[in-house]
Amino acid sequence: MNKMWIVTAQTYLRQVKSWSFILLILTPFIFGGIGMGIGSISANSADQEDRIAVVSSEASLRDGYIKQNKDDVAKKYTTVDASKKALKSKDIAGYLVLSNSDKQVKATFHGNDDLDSGTKSRVQIYLSQVQQQFNLQNAKLTGAQAAALQTQPQFKQDIQKNVGKQNIAMLISFWVMVVMVYIILITYSSITAQEIASEKGTKIMEIIFSSTSAVKYFVGKILGVLLVIVTQILVYVLGGWIVLNYAKSASLTKDFFADNQTMINSVIHNLFGVNMLFLLLGVVLFTILSALSGALVSKAEDASKAAQPSIMLAMLTFFSTFPFQNNPESIFAKILSYVPFFSSYFMPLRVINHAASPLEIGLSLLILLVTIGLMGYYIGRMYKGLMLQTDTHGFWSSLKSGLAYNK
């Protein structure tokens, strides 16, 4: 047992110390950081250029508008001359001059282009409010009359809360889950196959198999790769948590997160729990298949070709989910949610859409676990024969020899 863990540790350390693994881990964060930086700079620049200056000889008019629309106003420009210079240098979209003549409020916008509809609407709302106050003062109404004029119409909505956002959350969860599973499978199918194939027919394998059983060595290899995958997922979870907390307070994204917190929580909930377990078990199953593919190549030089069978199967399972993303209760989706290799995609799809009972989930997990155990044990028994053979008769010949060795 100790030798198996030594193989596991060596496989794990060799992979996590490689530059390819470090780049694999850092690339999403690097590109994400670059994207957020560019987006933030662009948003801040565009936001500043879209703002307007507000100028008025009456401080109350200017202060009232800024109080209502502080995010749309370039506050540092307080005079017409300063605003003209800012407009000329394109630091602002224009400037608004507010005035009051005989209890009539007036506004004049100066700019190179028309005022955008949103800002124009806010200006008109503010002018209407101020003008209404002036009109009430001029009318000299009693308190009761003034109160009567303030009566507003009532509008209500009776809708099913969050149904739309729940559907969006399910769709986002589905795509994040299947894409994440697909990328991990494609990446580590290649890594595992090449890890095994690179040792094919080497003298060192004869020495290793003389000191430990092929099953222990094979299981150690699989566990080592699995630990690498778990490490990557943990790094992404931790990084995602940090990014999520930053995004909640960042000026560029905080409003979006505030408005969609329920939907975001639903997506996060769908990605973890039993769905994450299906992801890990699916990766283990594909890793075992990739190890078999690597052991079946004729020689170490063919390592680059070793991952093709498992990659093709991963692509088949990935694309097969597309027709069922909006129909998880289809009979085909139900059947495939119990079929190993396919269940890692289809059962999470059903779980996300609340189309699977705890009994169905448990049965699918049991089938997946039994398949992993049987495949691991069976392939482990013929692993020595596969790795030590040096003939170059091709895939089927190698498989036949391996099956014959398993006894």
Side-chain angles (χ1 to χ4, degrees), residues 117-170:
S117 59
T119 305
K120 185 176 181 180
S121 176
R122 288 188 285 272
V123 171
Q124 291 174 334
I125 290 172
Y126 176 70
L127 294 177
S128 297
Q129 292 173 345
V130 175
Q131 188 62 57
Q132 186 179 23
Q133 293 175 3
F134 288 156
N135 293 341
L136 289 174
Q137 293 174 8
N138 292 335
K140 298 180 181 179
L141 301 176
T142 64
Q145 291 172 327
L149 290 175
Q150 298 297 322
T151 303
Q152 299 293 325
Q154 189 179 66
F155 173 72
K156 292 183 178 180
Q157 295 187 87
D158 184 12
I159 58 175
Q160 295 181 356
K161 294 183 177 179
N162 297 325
V163 170
K165 289 188 176 182
Q166 287 176 0
N167 292 334
I168 295 174
M170 290 178 184

Side-chain angles (χ1 to χ4, degrees), residues 31-47 251-253:
F31 281 101
I34 292 173
M36 290 183 65
I38 293 174
S40 179
I41 293 171
S42 299
N44 290 335
S45 176
D47 186 52
S251 58
L252 187 65
T253 54

Side-chain angles (χ1 to χ4, degrees), residues 345-364:
Y345 286 97
F346 280 89
M347 187 52 78
L349 170 62
R350 295 182 62 198
V351 171
I352 288 170
N353 287 273
H354 309 292
S357 67
L359 179 61
E360 292 174 315
I361 296 171
L363 179 59
S364 180

